[in-house]
Amino acid sequence: AETTAATTTTVALTDARKKKKAHLPRRVKHSQQIPLDILNNEALKEAMKILPDNYSFEIPKTIWRLREAKSKRVALQFPEGLLMYSLLISDILEKFAGVDTLVMGDVTYGACCVDDFSARALDCDFVVHYGHSCLVPVDPTGPIKMLYVFVEIGINVKHLVSTVEANFKPGDNIILAGTIQFTAAVRTAKRKLASKYSSISVPQAKPLSPGEVLGCTAPRLIETKAKGQDGSLGATKEEDNAPTVIFVADGRFHLESLMIQNPDVRAFYKYDPYSRKITLEKYDHSRMHQLRQKAIKEASKARVFGVVMGTLGRQGNTNIVNRIKKNIEEAGKEAVIVLLSEVFPAKLRMFKSIEAWVQVACPRLSIDWGHAFQRPLLSPYELEVALDLQKWKSIYPMDFYKRGGGPWSNYHPETKRVIRRKRKTRRKPIKMAYEEKQQKE
């Protein structure tokens, strides 16, 4: 009887899964192998020599994807540091993929700035976004196709490994992370160090890649016991073996995100792959918490809020903006929505009647530069605190693009962007006369 019940349950579950699966939109599948006529093209290999060897621009893959999509007009989007290669790549793609290209010159801070809207307005049918991971969902069956090229940068992993071995003991708890360009090197270094360091790991804040950290999104590295809601820092659960973080990057912006999310980690080191130096990095958590709580306290007294929706690419999330507007109005206050591609103190000073601001663009704008604005400039999380919808957290949340983030983040059920695809109705197969006759027999 037990076996029969188990079997019945399994069948029921299987049928339910089949029904659920039948309603899901089909994914666009691509062949996983680049054709040999592209890989073995000697002229293409020669043209690619003009690009730096250690930068993976994925030219053959891009050509293949453009051909497969039968693309005609392609928008190329680069961060500032890669714009110097934009015209070289443009020439190569035009010659070997047979497409027209245009380079989008607006500032690009991250994957949140992917500008498929402008590309569509310019009659492009494909966007190639360089230098960032794919965070913003774009309909793969829609009118414009997307390709994200991370541009992984090859570094001297052997030097990174020897630097770690020379500065840290085998018993140390090591955590390796970095920006998207160096995550492949981080994972390789972890494998090489695993035999010497029994406690070595590469963290992940999904949907980011393992080891990847954004300026607004970072993983929690250790569990904490909060000391209180007054802004005091948490205490580590494992004081005796507190982790040491080694972050591979040439700047501090992304590292600071990891530091803000993990104030209880004792030591953060930055390994610069260009200078090949490792440095101990510090962050003034108390000062940051003090400044942000002061801004929140001042904003809580405001009657009129300006809600800035960032229009630089896909920075702004209308679901978050609508939620903010609803919360402000339910608190008996007034909300005025303002669209801006970039947020400057001089620009916001022009709005004389606005008593406090909340911006849906980048949380770091409030954290790093909020003190430079005449009126309080809050992040979505800070507004929740100002309206008494959330308690101030002893660990400032850096979860803007993290699954399981708060209601102020992009992957929360209330604010998540949803791709609405048109369902294709399947036609019933037409039965011929002889088929009907055979079935009756």
Side-chain angles (χ1 to χ4, degrees), residues 335-348:
V336 179
I337 296 177
V338 179
L339 306 183
L340 289 174
S341 59
E342 294 198 67
V343 185
F344 295 108
K347 177 72 73 175
L348 297 193

Side-chain angles (χ1 to χ4, degrees), residues 247-402:
F247 196 83
V248 183
D250 57 338
R252 266 182 60 103
F253 182 73
H254 297 81
L255 171 58
E256 286 176 356
S257 173
L258 192 62
M259 296 169 88
I260 292 169
Q261 181 77 323
N262 297 277
D264 36 21
V265 172
R266 287 179 178 175
F268 285 89
Y269 291 87
K270 177 172 71 71
Y271 175 82
D272 188 329
Y274 301 115
S275 65
R276 297 186 183 181
K277 292 180 180 179
I278 189 167
T279 54
L280 178 64
E281 303 293 329
K282 299 288 185 180
Y283 189 87
D284 193 343
H285 295 278
S286 298
R287 177 62 175 161
M288 185 272 281
H289 281 236
Q290 180 186 358
L291 287 172
R292 299 320 304 149
Q293 285 182 298
K294 181 182 176 183
I296 290 169
K297 185 177 180 180
E298 185 179 343
S300 65
K301 302 172 185 176
R303 302 299 302 172
V304 182
F305 280 83
V307 182
V308 175
M309 175 168 166
T311 58
L312 189 62
R314 291 291 197 105
Q315 258 191 355
N317 183 333
T318 54
N319 294 333
I320 296 179
V321 171
N322 292 336
R323 186 178 191 278
I324 286 173
K325 183 175 182 293
K326 177 175 172 286
N327 289 339
I328 291 173
E329 291 174 347
E330 286 181 352
K333 303 172 187 287
E334 184 182 349
V336 179
I337 296 177
V338 179
L339 306 183
L340 289 174
S341 59
E342 294 198 67
V343 185
F344 295 108
K347 177 72 73 175
L348 297 193
R349 277 200 299 268
M350 296 179 180
F351 297 87
K352 304 294 184 182
S353 61
I354 302 296
E355 299 173 11
W357 293 90
V358 55
Q359 52 87 18
V360 185
C362 177
R364 291 292 295 277
L365 182 61
S366 297
I367 296 170
D368 297 352
W369 301 104
H371 62 277
F373 289 78
Q374 185 180 36
R375 304 288 189 189
L377 180 68
L378 307 185
S379 68
Y381 155 66
E382 292 169 350
L383 178 72
E384 299 260 337
V385 179
L387 298 178
D388 290 326
L389 299 173
Q390 298 281 340
K391 295 290 186 181
W392 174 258
K393 297 180 180 295
S394 59
I395 297 175
Y396 195 103
M398 300 303 291
D399 59 356
F400 204 53
Y401 279 99
K402 181 181 177 182

Side-chain angles (χ1 to χ4, degrees), residues 18 31 65 78 99 105 134 253-254 295 308 319 331 340 350 380 425:
K18 283 181 179 178
S31 171
R65 286 289 303 276
F78 298 82
V99 295
C134 39
F253 182 73
H254 297 81
V308 175
N319 294 333
L340 289 174
M350 296 179 180
T425 55

Side-chain angles (χ1 to χ4, degrees), residues 85-97:
Y85 306 113
S86 61
L87 299 184
L88 301 175
I89 293 172
S90 172
D91 288 343
I92 292 172
L93 294 181
E94 288 194 352
K95 181 175 180 180
F96 294 95

Side-chain angles (χ1 to χ4, degrees), residues 132-149:
H132 303 109
S133 53
C134 39
L135 290 180
V136 181
V138 178
D139 187 355
T141 64
I144 192 164
K145 303 294 186 294
M146 290 288 307
L147 175 63
Y148 287 85
V149 178

